Amino acid sequence: MSLRDHLIARIDADGPMSVADYMNECLLNPKYGYYTTRDPLGAAGDFITAPEISQMFGELLGLSLAQSWLDQGSPAPFTLAELGPGRGTLMADLLRATKSVPGFHAAAQIVLVEASPTLQAAQQQALAGYTVQWEDTVSSLADTPLWLVANEFFDALPIRQFLRDGDGWREKRVGLQQGQLAFGLGPSTPQPALDHRQHDTQDGDLVEICEAAAPILATVAQRISTHGGAALIVDYGDWRALGDTLQALRSHKSTDTLDDPGQADLTAHVDFEALAQVAQTAGCAYSRVTPQGVFLERLGITTRAQTLAKQLNGPALDNLIAAHQRLTHPEEMGNLFKVLGLYPDQTTPPPGLNA
């Protein structure tokens, strides 16, 4: 049996499923799920994240967090955590860049929130020499000051999609058409969670909500608000979601979201406004949402690239130049990806961000 067969049988038995349920099955099904059965990263995988492009990305995020830790009085011990840490590349770069920050490594308790056994094994290899703890969920993090990074984590959380229909909303669902997976619409119903979108949408507009993000972000924000710390959330998206952003990526190419379920990465753009509102409710301050390119330039990525370039020539130098452009150029990752910082009220945001 394939995941497609499993989904068809489930829909036959229970009726159409939400887009969120479909994403959950495709990504996390214990037997067939995309993340539970493979390493999706790198040139041999289906996508490449910023840490895989260049060491400069993780280094600069690390220095921003370390300076924030110094600005808050260097509390010890503290939790240094990453959500969805991939192969461990970002954390390895972060730790290398911060090793000369007095007391930072000695006080840090490194925690990776990762559910995939395949990726846990890769992380263990990348972070050999460090004492690392793995947790399945954010709620398992200790009640201590928390400095956290989440790069391309929230985009992989399941979303529900709703089409505006008068004063109500019709949920987009995955059902069957002539025995094959197909999108359809549920009946028009009120959606109190979307009441605030009545004034900026019209009939036929599609809005996405990510219910899974709120409890995760609330836990992080509550830790930071209560004990101190900061979080850097890097992802593609914008301040307010509008339109269908669900996409499937396989072998670095876009593919149909219903083709070969479990064989492609499914993601959607992050609604940073929704994250900021959750943080605020938990008593945490948040920064302005800042384009990744602007954030990295403020932290000195060009100076860092020039330093690295002095040691390189030929293809290695060409790769460095290309990596700098890919991370910062407005037409590549520079504008598409945004950074949101969380920090305690009455303190300053992590370097690279403005209140």
Side-chain angles (χ1 to χ4, degrees):
M1 179 183 273
S2 66
L3 182 58
R4 178 188 297 279
D5 296 331
H6 166 76
L7 291 170
I8 289 172
R10 179 178 162 180
I11 294 167
D12 259 338
D14 303 331
M17 64 177 66
S18 68
V19 172
D21 284 345
Y22 176 75
M23 285 183 72
N24 219 32
E25 287 274 26
C26 288
L27 297 177
L28 297 175
N29 181 285
K31 191 172 180 182
Y32 307 107
Y34 180 77
Y35 287 128
T36 49
T37 58
R38 78 199 68 223
D39 175 358
L41 292 164
D46 293 307
F47 59 90
I48 295 178
T49 60
E52 307 291 326
I53 293 169
S54 171
Q55 68 186 69
M56 296 183 291
F57 181 80
E59 289 173 346
L60 293 171
L61 265 64
L63 292 172
S64 177
L65 289 181
Q67 185 60 55
S68 168
W69 175 76
L70 291 169
D71 291 343
Q72 292 184 40
S74 310
F78 75 93
T79 300
L80 179 61
E82 183 176 358
L83 306 184
R87 286 204 190 121
T89 307
L90 190 157
M91 183 59 77
D93 292 339
L94 183 161
L95 290 167
R96 185 180 59 254
T98 56
K99 65 185 176 185
S100 61
V101 178
F104 188 74
H105 281 203
Q109 298 174 330
I110 304 165
V111 181
L112 302 182
V113 180
E114 178 60 70
S116 162
T118 305
L119 291 175
Q120 277 188 16
Q123 292 153 16
Q124 195 162 16
Q125 192 171 353
L127 296 167
Y130 293 101
T131 301
V132 180
Q133 181 180 335
W134 280 267
E135 298 290 354
D136 289 341
T137 63
V138 171
S139 58
S140 301
L141 293 175
D143 283 317
T144 60
L146 172 65
W147 272 265
L148 176 143
V149 62
N151 178 60
E152 290 194 59
F153 171 79
F154 285 96
D155 65 46
L157 296 181
I159 56 155
R160 294 172 70 186
Q161 295 184 319
F162 294 91
L163 208 69
R164 175 81 183 269
D165 182 43
D167 290 334
W169 300 86
R170 301 182 69 187
E171 183 162 16
K172 192 172 177 180
R173 302 193 292 194
V174 178
L176 298 177
Q177 195 170 339
Q178 297 178 327
Q180 298 300 314
L181 297 173
F183 285 116
L185 293 170
S188 183
T189 58
Q191 293 292 333
L194 292 173
D195 284 349
H196 69 293
R197 299 306 305 270
Q198 292 285 351
H199 71 280
D200 73 331
T201 56
Q202 52 191 4
D203 268 14
D205 280 351
L206 187 144
V207 171
E208 298 170 338
I209 58 174
C210 180
E211 295 170 331
I216 295 170
L217 197 88
T219 300
V220 171
Q222 183 270 330
R223 294 285 198 285
I224 292 170
S225 173
T226 304
H227 303 290
L232 294 173
I233 298 164
V234 187
D235 229 313
Y236 50 87
D238 227 315
W239 181 246
R240 179 173 286 193
L242 182 64
D244 186 348
T245 71
L246 180 66
Q247 61 179 355
L249 205 60
R250 186 176 185 184
S251 300
H252 305 275
K253 294 179 182 175
S254 291
T255 183
D256 189 281
T257 50
L258 298 181
D259 283 353
D260 296 322
Q263 300 300 309
D265 184 39
L266 296 180
T267 62
H269 284 206
V270 173
D271 184 341
F272 282 100
E273 180 187 38
L275 297 185
Q277 287 172 342
V278 171
Q280 190 172 43
T281 301
C284 209
Y286 61 86
S287 73
R288 293 182 189 177
V289 172
T290 303
Q292 175 178 291
V294 173
F295 173 72
L296 293 174
E297 290 293 1
R298 286 176 181 167
L299 293 175
I301 191 171
T302 298
T303 302
R304 178 62 178 146
Q306 289 166 345
T307 301
L308 291 172
K310 291 174 184 175
Q311 309 159 34
L312 303 174
N313 53 51
L317 180 59
D318 293 341
N319 289 341
L320 175 70
I321 293 168
H324 176 270
Q325 174 161 327
R326 189 166 179 190
L327 289 172
T328 62
H329 196 280
E331 292 180 8
E332 298 207 31
M333 298 173 79
N335 269 357
L336 176 63
F337 282 75
K338 311 290 195 306
V339 186
L340 175 70
L342 307 184
Y343 52 99
D345 220 1
Q346 309 302 319
T347 65
T348 55
L353 299 172
N354 294 326

